[in-house]
Amino acid sequence: MDERKGRLTKDGIRIYQDADYAGMRAAGKLAATILDDIAQHVFVGQTTGEIDRIITKMVEDAGARSATIGYKGYQHASCISMNHVVCHGIPGEKKLKDGDILNIDVTVIVDGWFGDTSRMYVAGKLSRKSERLIQVTHDALFKGIEAVKPGNTFGDIGHAIQTYVEAHRMSVVRDFCGHGLGRVFHAPPNVLHYGRAGTGPVLEEGMFFTIEPMVNLGRPETKVLADDWTAVTRDKSLSAQFEHSVGVTATGVEIFTQSPAGIFHPTYGE
């Protein structure tokens, strides 16, 4: 075994072993497959509650467990965040309207490994401003992923995302961040989506974490509603998010939550 593996760094970040990548691949693939399969259920007139019920059954049918049901009292297998909701939107019985955009976030547990991913969907016709927001957010995620390789820092990831988003006159949410994961849902480090290049912990082979930038058309400030979950933009501007779970490899990065059907982006068929 590589003696560098199976330990915690001075920043408390776990370094996983080579064999652990297989567990993350399996969990990530299931989470991504569920998001592939749910796409056909997003349409005008559908409710987010029904989408969540379908996701719950998909998780059960796969013989896996939802990481979110029961997490700090949460009772759903997904977070569904519409329009100006930044993250942690609670599924309910409100019907989707033409032009609504929504982020669906799913985390599953497969043989003890956590697969966490989210992506954007649209009900009906996508407006030009929504399309632009979704594209910038999608591309910002991949700018961050491109910065993942041994020797770079977590600040390099945040810097890549922030500079790309702000160049398009949008803002990066600072109140929420990515996180380490593996055999636990949330662990060090906090993966900020903004920051200065060259700062923060150094990336090492064997680190597993999420990158999940939230991007607003308006200002970056958010507020959490009375339900203690739903975070919205303070200025009611539209928000979008994409999330992948990744692992640092010897030469770069592996994305564990790639879409098996190649439909991670909502306009893939156009």
Side-chain angles (χ1 to χ4, degrees):
M1 186 185 96
D2 186 335
E3 290 303 321
R4 295 177 297 117
K5 303 291 186 71
R7 63 174 175 83
L8 295 178
T9 71
K10 62 181 177 63
D11 300 293
I13 304 170
R14 181 161 298 282
I15 304 298
Y16 284 93
Q17 301 180 45
D18 294 339
D20 297 334
Y21 285 76
M24 290 299 291
R25 288 182 196 119
K29 183 177 181 180
L30 176 59
T33 298
I34 288 170
L35 291 189
D36 284 353
D37 293 344
I38 204 64
Q40 64 182 308
H41 299 283
V42 178
F43 50 80
V44 174
Q46 176 69 291
T47 68
T48 55
E50 180 60 18
I51 291 170
D52 181 71
R53 285 188 283 274
I54 295 168
I55 290 171
T56 302
K57 188 173 187 305
M58 288 176 174
V59 176
E60 292 172 351
D61 289 350
R65 289 193 295 129
S66 166
T68 52
I69 294 177
Y71 179 78
K72 296 185 176 179
Y74 195 76
Q75 293 303 313
H76 302 275
S78 63
C79 293
I80 302 179
S81 305
M82 291 173 50
N83 299 328
H84 72 290
V85 178
V86 174
C87 60
H88 303 157
I90 301 174
E93 299 314 306
K94 188 174 181 180
K95 293 183 178 180
L96 298 178
K97 302 189 304 294
D98 187 45
D100 281 343
I101 60 172
L102 52 156
N103 174 275
I104 302 178
D105 190 339
V106 170
T107 307
V108 297
I109 309 171
V110 177
D111 296 328
W113 295 98
F114 286 71
D116 186 2
T117 183
S118 80
R119 65 181 83 155
M120 296 300 295
Y121 300 80
V122 59
K125 184 172 175 56
L126 192 61
S127 71
R128 181 67 190 99
K129 69 177 181 179
S130 295
E131 182 178 24
R132 183 168 167 266
L133 170 66
I134 287 171
Q135 189 66 55
V136 168
T137 309
H138 174 275
D139 294 349
L141 167 63
F142 283 92
K143 292 290 184 183
I145 291 173
E146 286 171 7
V148 178
K149 62 180 179 181
N152 277 4
T153 68
F154 281 94
D156 293 331
I157 298 171
H159 180 75
I161 292 168
Q162 181 183 7
T163 54
Y164 184 81
V165 169
E166 292 179 352
H168 288 83
R169 303 178 68 82
M170 299 179 194
S171 64
V172 175
V173 170
R174 285 151 168 77
D175 297 334
F176 301 94
C177 61
H179 52 89
L181 83 170
R183 286 194 172 275
V184 292
F185 195 174
H186 296 101
N190 289 333
V191 183
L192 305 181
H193 304 117
Y194 62 94
R196 291 189 294 117
T199 63
V202 175
L203 295 163
E204 296 183 40
E205 181 185 357
M207 290 180 174
F208 298 161
F209 51 89
T210 70
I211 305 177
E212 46 185 297
M214 289 142 272
V215 175
N216 297 344
L217 270 181
R219 293 186 54 80
E221 292 82 12
T222 70
K223 64 178 179 180
V224 177
L225 301 184
D227 60 27
D228 289 331
W229 284 104
T230 309
V232 300
T233 55
R234 281 193 172 272
D235 61 7
K236 294 185 168 58
S237 63
L238 289 174
S239 186
Q241 180 187 20
F242 284 88
E243 174 185 14
H244 270 317
S245 295
V246 303
V248 184
T249 67
T251 56
V253 61
E254 178 177 347
I255 300 173
F256 298 126
T257 46
Q258 290 273 31
S259 164
I263 55 175
F264 187 66
H265 192 289
T267 60
Y268 64 89
E270 298 178 3

